[in-house]
């Protein structure tokens, strides 16, 4: 068990596109550390670059806070279908602590990934799970919630973050 330091925005690593992970790479220890870090934070999702690992891996557990642990470890995740219907949710991010940002995304997505055993997996996600998976996948493409906002909303959100950071400094 290891809780890793979390990279905070605007660290440039949060704006880089991550490399695919190799199927034969042993990512078990890293995945466990990422889950430990996510639960400790506490959060519901954590992507590689948030712990300085520039690889296409994220972990999520959207129900553990309700007492139902369901950790999912996604290697090389891809969204293969998106609904036309969209939903707007207030999203937090462990790399942007203290800020909730309203982001509009497809309401339902199909997520394909490889698990730690190298098995191809797929799930139709809706509700908060769909939001979380899209948010974490964004991290692997160098995007944070701010990057999903129009310029005016982005300026407001970033100003809020500056205030939070200033208060914590
Ligand atoms: Ni995040």
């Amino acid at each position: 068990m290891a809780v890793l330091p979390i990279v905070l925005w605007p660290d440039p690593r949060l704006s880089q596109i991550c490399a695919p992970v190799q199927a034969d790479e042993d990512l078990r220890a890293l995945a466990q550390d990422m889950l430990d870090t996510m639960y400790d934070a506490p959060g519901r999702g954590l992507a590689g670059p948030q712990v300085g690992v520039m690889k296409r891996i994220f972990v999520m557990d959207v129900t553990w806070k309700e007492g139902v642990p369901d950790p999912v470890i996604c290697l090389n995740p891809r969204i293969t279908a998106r609904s036309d219907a969209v939903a707007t949710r207030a999203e937090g991010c462990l790399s942007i602590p203290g800020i909730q940002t309203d982001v509009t995304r497809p309401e339902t997505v199909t997520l394909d990934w490889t698990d730690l055993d190298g098995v191809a997996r797929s799930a139709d996600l809706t509700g908060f799970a769909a939001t979380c998976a899209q948010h974490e996948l964004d991290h692997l493409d160098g995007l944070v919630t701010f990057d999903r906002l129009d310029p005016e909303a982005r300026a407001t959100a970033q100003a809020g973050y500056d205030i939070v950071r200033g208060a914590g400094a």
Side-chain angles (χ1 to χ4, degrees):
M1 146 127 200
V3 173
L4 306 171
I6 294 178
V7 172
L8 299 181
W9 195 86
D11 188 295
R13 287 172 289 182
L14 296 172
S15 301
Q16 293 171 17
I17 296 176
C18 295
V21 290
Q22 302 299 318
D24 60 352
E25 225 173 320
D26 190 1
L27 298 163
R28 225 162 278 272
L30 170 64
Q32 188 57 54
D33 288 350
M34 288 177 66
L35 283 169
D36 293 341
T37 303
M38 180 189 77
Y39 290 133
D40 180 72
R44 288 185 165 101
L46 185 75
Q50 295 184 274
V51 289
V53 175
M54 306 308 293
K55 294 176 179 173
R56 301 190 79 80
I57 176 173
F58 72 67
V59 298
M60 63 183 227
D61 187 337
V62 296
T63 54
W64 76 273
K65 287 187 179 180
E66 285 71 54
V68 186
D70 181 24
V72 180
I73 296 156
C74 297
L75 311 181
N76 298 325
R78 289 184 306 134
I79 287 172
T80 54
R82 297 169 170 78
S83 63
D84 291 332
V86 296
T88 302
R89 287 196 174 74
E91 298 182 20
C93 179
L94 296 178
S95 293
I96 311 175
I99 293 292
Q100 296 271 317
T101 306
D102 284 332
V103 182
T104 300
R105 304 180 187 273
E107 190 169 25
T108 303
V109 298
T110 302
L111 183 73
D112 289 5
W113 73 96
T114 304
D115 71 15
L116 279 178
D117 296 314
V119 177
R121 306 281 295 269
S122 183
D124 295 323
L125 304 176
T126 192
F128 183 78
T131 296
C132 186
Q134 292 175 85
H135 176 118
E136 300 312 328
L137 186 49
D138 268 0
H139 277 301
L140 306 185
D141 290 321
L143 300 174
V144 298
T145 51
F146 294 156
D147 298 309
R148 291 292 185 189
L149 305 178
D150 64 49
E152 190 181 341
R154 181 186 179 119
T156 301
Q158 283 190 213
Y161 182 56
D162 286 343
I163 290 168
V164 168
R165 279 203 302 169

